[in-house]
Amino acid sequence: SLGRADLEDMVRERTQQLEESRDILEKKVSERTLELESEKNKLRLVLANTVDGILALDKNKKIVSFNKSMEKISGLLEAEAIGKDVDDYVRIFDLDNKAVMCSTYCSAFRYSASEVGVYKADNLVLVGKNNKQFNISLVSNNIEDSKSNIKCIVTFHDITKEKELDTMKFDFVSIAAHELRTPLTAIRGYLSLLMGEV
């Protein structure tokens, strides 16, 4: 049978082993936490420096991520948008001025989500804060990871400048064609007059 001193030695030895194991686990957890934080910061940096506006939605159509470019396009700050219903804060319209709802561009939110995948649309208008309008093309993709809270990622490409450039090109061609047509009409008139005199 073990004496009291032997039991105390065993308890001390076991306690020391447990403390060493705890220290090792704490060190591993700390290292892993730093790795995850580093990865999270890298992702945040990539999103922040992406030219296109990007937002992520959870299963309740609430905004869970909102990058700097999205702030510029929408006029909203990330703090204003996070946790809010996307249809209330990101207003999108088609060329017929009909509202484009989240269930249109994120099939994960349709009642019959049979066609899951990528959605693309051009020639949309995003109406931001203070009713400022941006021409956009939109691409969305559903996330099928059951462990993730994110259900859909939406990318907004601002094509306002391209639209303005197209309008300027069209106007220039119209004006140039009109300006060329006017002298040609006068020349034809003179030619027909001269041919009539001969």
Side-chain angles (χ1 to χ4, degrees), residues 185-197:
T185 305
I187 292 170
R188 270 196 212 133
Y190 289 128
L191 281 175
S192 64
L193 218 128
L194 287 173
M195 303 238 334
E197 288 181 2

Side-chain angles (χ1 to χ4, degrees), residues 118-174:
V118 177
Y119 175 88
K120 296 180 183 179
D122 292 321
N123 299 319
L124 297 175
V125 175
L126 185 142
V127 179
K129 204 171 190 178
N130 302 323
N131 291 322
K132 188 169 182 180
Q133 296 186 1
F134 291 88
N135 297 91
I136 59 162
S137 62
L138 178 148
V139 177
S140 72
N141 201 346
N142 296 326
I143 306 298
E144 294 304 312
D145 183 3
S146 59
K147 296 174 191 167
S148 173
N149 186 35
I150 297 175
K151 207 65 176 152
C152 185
I153 295 178
V154 188
T155 305
F156 298 84
H157 181 67
D158 182 3
I159 56 172
T160 305
K161 297 266 190 253
E162 290 92 335
K163 284 283 190 187
E164 289 172 358
L165 191 58
D166 285 346
T167 302
M168 288 169 50
K169 285 180 194 175
F170 179 77
D171 290 347
F172 174 76
V173 170
S174 296

Side-chain angles (χ1 to χ4, degrees), residues 82-136:
I82 296 295
K84 303 297 192 295
D85 187 295
V86 69
D87 286 330
D88 294 337
Y89 279 79
V90 180
R91 299 177 299 148
I92 304 168
F93 297 89
D94 62 15
L95 292 178
D96 298 326
N97 209 25
K98 183 180 171 197
V100 179
M101 305 306 281
C102 175
S103 58
T104 301
Y105 57 84
C106 284
S107 63
F109 300 116
R110 292 192 196 118
Y111 292 110
S112 60
S114 56
E115 75 280 0
V116 174
V118 177
Y119 175 88
K120 296 180 183 179
D122 292 321
N123 299 319
L124 297 175
V125 175
L126 185 142
V127 179
K129 204 171 190 178
N130 302 323
N131 291 322
K132 188 169 182 180
Q133 296 186 1
F134 291 88
N135 297 91
I136 59 162

